[in-house]
Amino acid sequence: DGQGGGNPSLAGMIVLSVLTVLLGLVALVAASQCILNFLRNTSSKPVAEVSPAAEPLVHSPRDLSLSSKVLPHLPPLTTQCTPLEDSSELFDELAIFFERRWNTSEWLTCEPDCCVPCPDVREIWEIEAEPHFSTYLAKQAEIDDDACCEPSHTACTCDHGYVPGNEQIRFHGARIKCRFTGTPCGDPACNACRIIEDGNFQSSSLHSEIRFTYGSHAAKGYGLAPGKEPPPRNLKDFVSRNAGNAVFIAGVLMGTPNFVTTLTTDLPSPGSHSRVAAAATGVDEVVIFDAAQAIPKALLLFD
């Protein structure tokens, strides 16, 4: 080789080529191993979805149970009864209201010199009839719309001058069989407790009629215990210690009253919402035909 000059030998070039091929094969094997490891890891993990906020949402049995859980139901509304202290202002107001509306001389068969004195009120319970309140308000608005709107009117104007629904305070006598302590008893015949439980006077309905009175004395004659004779035929039983009744103070939506002068069981005339006995009849009676038109406000108990 002394002849030539400076070109690399053939053996060197062959060695370089072999090394290059070997390095390429090593790199290829390493890359293949990495891919296989990746695939093994991926197949062993749960499949995840990507939420709009790019958070992985991995589905599991616990997650599914949470998503299908039903929201708890709200407890049913119940009538709230609060005893009034006999020294409270509200107790005095209601007791005086009952006493002022007591006038047995209105009975035609009652002699002025033998009028029955007003019984003492032992307890007064303030009533919040939650189960019935929304129904009562809806009926009040409905009656007011009837009074304000005539078919010939293009708009409703309400200038009748009385409270919405012509709400009046009236009395209602009811049978009571328990020693009431704030919670209705379970006796179906204890009508006072059924009224409190329902928040309305539907349980007092007789032939679709629910009766109320202007005078407290007249209401005290309703709901007497069996064997007791109502006034004015008997002027002792209804105020006796074992009369077996209680008196509610109620809000009554009289709307447009239908005044009657004779004994009747007819429905109110069209356009009327209640039937009222005229004063000339000597009968103290307001009749409604829809329990939505009245709500209990207080319960009075007697000695």
Side-chain angles (χ1 to χ4, degrees), residues 220 224 228 236-245 302-303:
K220 191 66 172 68
L224 296 174
K228 300 296 181 182
K236 294 182 179 179
D237 283 353
F238 80 118
V239 290
S240 64
R241 295 182 65 87
N242 56 353
N245 64 351
F302 306 88
D303 289 323

Side-chain angles (χ1 to χ4, degrees), residues 24-38:
L25 291 173
V26 171
L28 180 60
V29 171
S32 299
Q33 188 63 42
C34 289
I35 292 172
L36 289 174
N37 291 337
F38 174 77

